[in-house]
Each structure stands twice: as structure tokens, then as C-alpha cells.
Amino acid sequence: MRRRPGALAPFETMEKVLGRSNTVQDSVPSPPIKLESPLINVEFLPARVTYARKEKEKPPPVKPVKNTATETVVAYPFMRALRTVENKSDPCGGKFTSNEGLGPPLENVEGVFENIGWYATNHFAVDVIFNNRMKQYECLTNDSSIAGAIFVPFYAGFDIARYLWGYNISRRDAASLYLVDWLMRRPERGIMGGKDHFLVAGRITWDFRRLSEEESDWGNKLLFLPAAKNMSMLVVESSPWNANDFGIPYPTYFHPAKDEEVSIWQDRMRKLERKWLFSFAGAPRPGNLKSIRGQIIDQCRKSKVCKLLECDFGESKCHSPSSIMQMFQSSLFCLQPQGDSYTQRSAFDSMLAGCIPVFFHPGSAYTQYTWHLPKNYTTYSLFIPEDDIRKRNVSIEERLSQISPEQVKIMREAVINLIPRLIYADPRSKLETLLDAFDVTVQAVINKVTKLRKNIIEGLTAYDNFVEENSWKYDLLDEGQREVGAHEWDPFFSKPKEQQKDQSAEAAKFFWKNEQRDQS
């Protein structure tokens, strides 16, 4: 019998268990958490990490405002809450999580979108979208003994987003520490030591990989906690040198409720006339001497067949979903260099528009989204190594012009066919025959756990001579392969370990700063 499951419960009933039966069940029915409410009471967090402030961290005094009716100046005690609701950069603001995490609907004034299914979705909203989709999953069960995997509905991305800047490490770590303490005491964890558990954190992995106890170091240490090392953490950007995180797509603006909406969009992308050979939306990174963005922008400016949207400080069309998607829809190829870190949402927006992505680093897609993208990357994208631009000044226009129109058409069709598995369907419904990014992810997790269980029975390890720092290589192995060797992409990931860590932390800081700038 199928029924709609209740919402996420407090910590005592926090886990949900995924099974293969068609029965839809919850762990324990509970009142729903209203994610649309601005700055909700986070009742599923334990009492001893409630947000009581120390004396030195008292809230700032309330600034009085003028009551327009009485002409008096009043210090209303709710003013900070009111400003928080209106603050678009606050991840706990009301609009950010409206429509089950999709955000407010986008108006189709310029005809760039369709009239339904399009939302102003924040690129870090996967926590909410995924959790709401999980409530609709057909195969939830209370019985962990028949479960394919165990889902932990903890909002890791939202938790750390509040404290990334200006808070001490105790505050940053508090909820994560209590989470793993709680998990360690759960009977389900004793079965496989947490290797069958997974959770979603809709941010880049570097926000959860603080390397020291120095207050100046970045993020929290969730992914380095012993109880978390066995779990699978789903992030929008994973680490190539660690084995406990896995890349899942950034959310796009398109969240269809029906299969028909997807097919209509795909057909429309096939028929578009694309007047630009290639395009780029982005800003240079003058503080990063290894960034090739400045050279890409220079090449685009000089080309008559390149469309450029410059995303520097101040007002910019780069902040407009319609401007971005319109440019991608009118381009054959879309350039996707590294930004502040390896990945960016733009790659998925461009593929949604039927534009063939051009990557310059394998960590921007090929080693990240192995569950969602074909291993043979040449079928849907073009790869130009960064050094071709940085050191050899290769002409992007010339390189792209060498691809025949017939091959371009084949590659574009491959991109358009990938669209369903790169988007998150509306959590309030479910696609009937198509698998979206959520479906692909859940099945990949179940397959991973199933393979691990079979290996345990057969007395096998997952791989021969496993080396965690080569994690990115294992995800590229074909079925049956158990050992990695030299790889053509070794130069991209073979920096000294300490240098890798330092650069990752700096990348996360820049990512956060630009995120705040874009939302201000």
C-alpha cells in the first residue's frame, strides 16, 4: 500500500531507510518541518547545540525605526527577524526554500523558459530539494534489515552556511559533532560501521574539510570525523583525494513535474538556431595567478563568433537566469573553466540549454559526476587542457572551428539526451518514466552499498592496493577493474599534498565571498 510519508522527525527519529520494496513508510510519523518558514526553529537539532549565545556574543542592539502612522521612533524587538526574512543572501530566508526548496517561480517574460516548471533556484539548495524528494521515494521502509541504504536527513550545507565566516570552530563544529555522536549510538550503524549510510550537503566539499583546529582555518571538520569517514556524503563538488564524498549535479532552474515537460524542452533545444560558435559567462580571477579566465575573456572579446557576459562587480546580466539561459541557448559551445573551485553551476545550466560544454580541467566534470555523466566524455563535451591556453595560447575559436557540423550535431544530441538525469524534478511530484538526478543518485548509492555487501560475503576488498589519494581514479575504472595505474590526468591532481589542501581551503573562501557578492 502506498502512502505519502510524513516529514523529517527530530534527531530521535532522524534516519530514513531505503529499501527495495514498493512499500512507502517512514521511520516514525511526526509533524512536518515547514521549510518555507523564515529562520525556522531547528527542532531536529539537539538541545545542547541550540543557538544560545555566550555573553560576549549577545545580539546587537535593535535599531529603532520610525512608525509612519504615529510619527514615533520605536525599537521593535522583531526588527532583526524582519530584516532576516528580507535578506536574500540568508540561506534561511523565506523565499530561498519556498516551493519545497525550488525558490520562487520564474516569470517567462522574454520567452526564454517555458511557462511552468522554472524557478529561481539557489545553487546551494540541494539539501532541501533532495530531502523533499526523499519524502516521496516509493521504497522507504522502517526495517533496516531489508534496506538498500540508510539516508540521514541532516542539513549539513545549511548548517555550515550560517557559520562559515566570523564564527569560531566550536560553533562551526557543534551540530556535526552531535550528529556523529548520535549516529554512533544508533543500532543501524553497528551493522556496517556506517558504510551503508549517506547524507546530502549541497555545498562544495571544502566547506566540510577543515584541516586543523586553528580558528583561521576554513569550514568545519564533518568529513574528517571518524564516524563520517565511512559514510557517503553527496556534495556538488567532491574531493579528488578522498573516498567519502561523491559529486551530484548543482540544481538548475528547471524542475519539471511531468515527463512531457522534459520532452517539450528537449525538442525545443534541438530546433534552436545557434548564432554563436561559443560563449562564456564569468569574471576574471586576478587574485589567482593560475586562472585562465582572463585569457578566455580576452579571446572571446577579440572573436566575432563568441558571446561574452562579464560578471564583474556591480549590476550584471550574469545574475539574471533569463540572460544566462538565452546566451547558452544561442551558442554551440559553452566554455566552462574553473572558477573559485573546480566546478560551477554554469556547466549544468549550459547543458540544460543544449550547449556543448568545453572543460579545461578534468576536475570540473569528468572526475566529479561519474554517476550522472558518461565516462566517455568526448561524446558530449570537448576537453582543452588549461596549459593549452595558459602556456601555449591555443586559439579556442580555431579549435572549435575544426569540429565538423555533423559532429557538432551528434554531440549536441548527446547533451540534450542527458538533460533528464542532470535536473531535479519538482519534489511535489514524480516523473513517470524518466530518471532525474535524484533517481540516478539514489540508485548509485544503493548499487555502491550492494557491491560492498557482496564483497564482504566473498571476502574481497573493493579494490586491490587501494590508495585514498587516488580516489578520483577509482571512479573512472570500468566494471571488473580492481587496480589503478598511471593516468593521463595525473598532472592535474599530482600537486604536493599540503599544497592541495591549502589551495582547496583558499578556493572555498573565494567561493563563499563571491556567493555573498552575487546575492547582495
Side-chain angles (χ1 to χ4, degrees):
M1 179 179 71
R2 179 174 180 176
R3 67 179 177 87
R4 179 180 176 129
L8 307 182
F11 253 68
E12 288 69 29
T13 58
M14 187 171 171
E15 288 180 331
K16 286 190 175 182
V17 188
L18 297 171
R20 290 186 174 276
S21 70
N22 290 323
T23 305
V24 180
Q25 294 179 313
D26 261 333
S27 49
V28 178
S30 60
I33 292 176
K34 297 181 179 179
L35 296 172
E36 295 81 7
S37 301
L39 272 184
I40 58 173
N41 283 327
V42 193
E43 295 178 349
F44 60 89
L45 288 179
R48 60 180 154 120
V49 291
T50 51
Y51 313 128
R53 296 172 180 264
K54 297 179 181 179
E55 191 67 23
K56 65 179 181 179
E57 294 180 309
K58 279 186 176 180
V62 176
K63 294 181 179 181
V65 294
K66 186 176 182 179
N67 184 306
T68 54
T70 63
E71 295 294 321
T72 58
V73 177
V74 184
Y76 293 104
F78 54 73
M79 283 307 301
R80 293 185 70 235
L82 182 60
R83 292 192 184 101
T84 300
V85 172
E86 296 172 344
N87 181 4
K88 295 181 181 180
S89 68
D90 185 349
C92 298
K95 289 185 179 182
F96 182 84
T97 55
S98 63
N99 294 304
E100 304 290 320
L102 305 182
L106 285 172
E107 295 183 5
N108 191 27
V109 177
E110 301 177 45
V112 177
F113 316 119
E114 295 295 327
N115 292 327
I116 56 174
W118 290 80
Y119 299 83
T121 306
N122 185 278
H123 61 308
F124 285 151
V126 174
D127 299 60
V128 182
I129 297 172
F130 204 98
N131 276 276
N132 285 326
R133 280 295 307 278
M134 188 61 72
K135 297 175 191 176
Q136 308 291 350
Y137 188 68
E138 299 91 340
C139 302
L140 291 178
T141 177
N142 293 336
D143 187 352
S144 62
S145 69
I146 63 171
I150 298 175
F151 176 59
V152 182
F154 174 63
Y155 293 90
F158 279 13
D159 171 49
I160 190 58
R162 299 172 296 172
Y163 306 127
L164 274 174
W165 201 271
Y167 290 87
N168 61 34
I169 59 176
S170 297
R171 176 63 61 87
R172 284 181 262 157
D173 290 340
S176 295
L177 287 170
Y178 199 87
L179 168 70
V180 298
D181 177 68
W182 181 83
L183 287 171
M184 291 288 284
R185 293 184 278 108
R186 296 290 297 176
E188 295 90 349
R189 193 181 187 280
I191 299 174
M192 296 183 68
K195 293 182 179 179
D196 52 357
H197 288 50
F198 73 104
L199 60 82
V200 178
R203 298 186 67 87
I204 60 176
T205 191
W206 318 113
D207 291 337
F208 311 97
R209 292 189 178 279
R210 193 181 71 247
L211 300 167
S212 73
E213 296 303 299
E214 296 291 329
E215 295 290 345
S216 60
D217 210 346
W218 183 257
N220 67 24
K221 58 182 180 182
L222 173 59
L223 280 172
F224 286 133
L225 296 175
K229 284 189 174 181
N230 282 345
M231 296 172 57
S232 296
M233 186 143 156
L234 311 182
V235 289
V236 292
E237 176 176 315
S238 64
S239 165
W241 309 292
N242 298 95
N244 60 338
D245 58 359
F246 300 86
I248 61 174
Y250 285 86
T252 65
Y253 305 110
F254 185 36
H255 305 282
K258 299 178 181 178
D259 290 21
E260 182 183 20
E261 294 173 31
V262 180
S263 60
I264 289 174
W265 179 257
Q266 288 176 300
D267 287 342
R268 180 179 167 185
M269 294 304 99
R270 290 185 178 101
K271 297 173 183 177
L272 286 177
E273 292 188 13
R274 300 174 185 266
K275 61 181 180 180
W276 302 105
L277 176 62
F278 63 110
S279 62
F280 176 64
R285 295 294 187 268
N288 183 352
L289 298 179
K290 293 189 176 182
S291 175
I292 62 171
R293 282 177 161 240
Q295 290 163 283
I296 285 176
I297 291 172
D298 288 342
Q299 286 202 31
C300 193
R301 284 174 178 162
K302 295 174 182 177
S303 173
K304 295 181 180 179
V305 291
C306 180
K307 174 66 175 177
L308 176 64
L309 278 184
E310 297 192 63
C311 308
D312 221 332
F313 294 94
E315 289 296 320
S316 169
K317 289 186 178 180
C318 291
H319 301 247
S320 163
S322 61
S323 296
I324 290 285
M325 292 300 294
Q326 191 172 45
M327 183 187 73
F328 289 157
Q329 289 174 28
S330 63
S331 307
L332 293 175
F333 294 92
C334 293
L335 308 186
Q336 301 295 339
Q338 295 187 77
D340 300 303
S341 62
Y342 289 130
T343 65
Q344 51 185 344
R345 172 203 184 130
S346 172
F348 295 97
D349 289 335
S350 66
M351 286 189 278
L352 175 60
C355 188
I356 301 167
V358 180
F359 296 109
F360 301 84
H361 192 292
S364 295
Y366 307 145
T367 63
Q368 289 285 345
Y369 311 108
T370 55
W371 292 345
H372 299 79
L373 295 174
K375 288 184 179 179
N376 184 359
Y377 62 87
T378 63
T379 61
Y380 70 92
S381 71
L382 184 70
F383 180 58
I384 302 177
E386 286 180 334
D387 277 353
D388 282 6
I389 308 298
R390 184 186 298 117
K391 297 179 180 179
R392 291 179 277 276
N393 199 29
V394 166
S395 168
I396 298 172
E397 179 180 336
E398 288 183 13
R399 181 71 62 88
L400 299 179
S401 298
Q402 294 170 0
I403 304 174
S404 69
E406 294 78 14
Q407 186 61 29
V408 169
K409 185 176 181 180
I410 293 172
M411 295 173 72
R412 182 168 63 247
E413 182 63 22
V415 170
I416 292 172
N417 287 336
L418 285 172
I419 288 176
R421 61 194 295 117
L422 302 181
I423 58 176
Y424 295 92
D426 191 322
R428 296 162 294 191
S429 59
K430 188 182 187 305
L431 303 182
E432 295 179 2
T433 63
L434 299 174
L435 298 179
D436 75 339
F438 170 87
D439 297 317
V440 172
T441 299
V442 171
Q443 191 56 57
V445 170
I446 292 176
N447 291 345
K448 173 180 174 288
V449 175
T450 300
K451 182 178 179 180
L452 176 59
R453 288 169 173 167
K454 290 181 178 179
N455 285 340
I456 292 173
I457 293 172
E458 297 173 7
L460 299 174
T461 57
Y463 302 104
D464 296 334
N465 305 313
F466 179 77
V467 178
E468 186 171 21
E469 288 183 28
N470 288 330
S471 291
W472 64 272
K473 293 186 181 183
Y474 293 97
D475 293 333
L476 303 176
L477 291 178
D478 293 326
E479 188 67 31
Q481 288 184 294
R482 295 180 50 80
E483 195 165 4
V484 300
H487 196 282
E488 61 177 313
W489 291 335
D490 281 338
F492 290 93
F493 301 109
S494 61
K495 305 169 190 171
K497 190 173 183 180
E498 291 308 313
Q499 184 181 350
Q500 296 169 0
K501 292 178 178 179
D502 292 342
Q503 289 184 351
S504 300
E506 286 303 309
K509 290 179 183 179
F510 281 120
F511 203 116
W512 186 88
K513 288 179 179 178
N514 283 314
E515 175 191 355
Q516 302 308 302
R517 183 200 74 191
D518 291 345
Q519 294 178 353
S520 61

